[in-house]
Amino acid sequence: MRHYRKTAASVLAGFLIFVTNGTGQAESLAGSKGDMRFSPVLGSGVKDPCSKAYKAYVAASGHSAYATTGFVRVRDGYILCGANYNAPSQKAAEDLAMKSCQSARSHYKVAAGGQCQIAASK
């Protein structure tokens, strides 16, 4: 059985923030997977909150991050996630995504799901 936590950050996915470079042109990160540290395990259902959060991460146009617990090869392993979209910097997005994932771990009080890790950031 898997448990997921939908974060308030996923609601903010619709807001767009554009990053400008020195020439004044807007550079969108939308559609980019960014720096992939590992491929996250995603549910196959369209209503799966972690799949939705990851898709929103890829679609986000600003600095964003996706954190998840690693896949555990046990029968009742949990996969939890957290994300942050369109933060002022990549580091800020990573910090907030980690906090979101850790909040889900403490909310569900699970130990079998592993520690939260940044899977991807941009």
Side-chain angles (χ1 to χ4, degrees):
M1 174 186 254
R2 291 183 182 167
H3 290 272
Y4 301 92
R5 180 169 188 256
K6 187 173 182 178
T7 64
S10 64
V11 177
L12 299 176
F15 294 102
L16 299 177
I17 297 175
F18 292 97
V19 178
T20 59
N21 61 21
T23 61
Q25 297 174 334
E27 180 183 333
S28 176
L29 298 172
S32 168
K33 291 185 180 180
D35 300 328
M36 293 292 293
R37 297 183 186 167
F38 62 91
S39 295
V41 176
L42 300 172
S44 59
V46 277
K47 292 187 176 188
D48 175 60
C50 287
S51 293
K52 284 182 180 180
Y54 182 74
K55 287 177 185 175
Y57 156 75
V58 172
S61 62
H63 294 293
S64 303
Y66 178 81
T68 186
T69 54
F71 178 70
V72 178
R73 297 180 191 279
V74 295
R75 177 185 283 188
D76 294 326
Y78 295 87
I79 298 173
L80 302 170
C81 63
N84 184 267
Y85 315 106
N86 303 318
S89 69
Q90 185 173 358
K91 174 75 171 121
E94 289 177 2
D95 291 345
L96 293 168
M98 281 295 289
K99 285 181 183 178
S100 176
C101 184
Q102 291 165 345
S103 174
R105 284 193 82 237
S106 61
H107 174 76
Y108 289 109
K109 296 176 178 72
V110 295
Q115 297 297 317
C116 293
Q117 303 171 42
I118 297 294
S121 67
K122 56 183 176 179

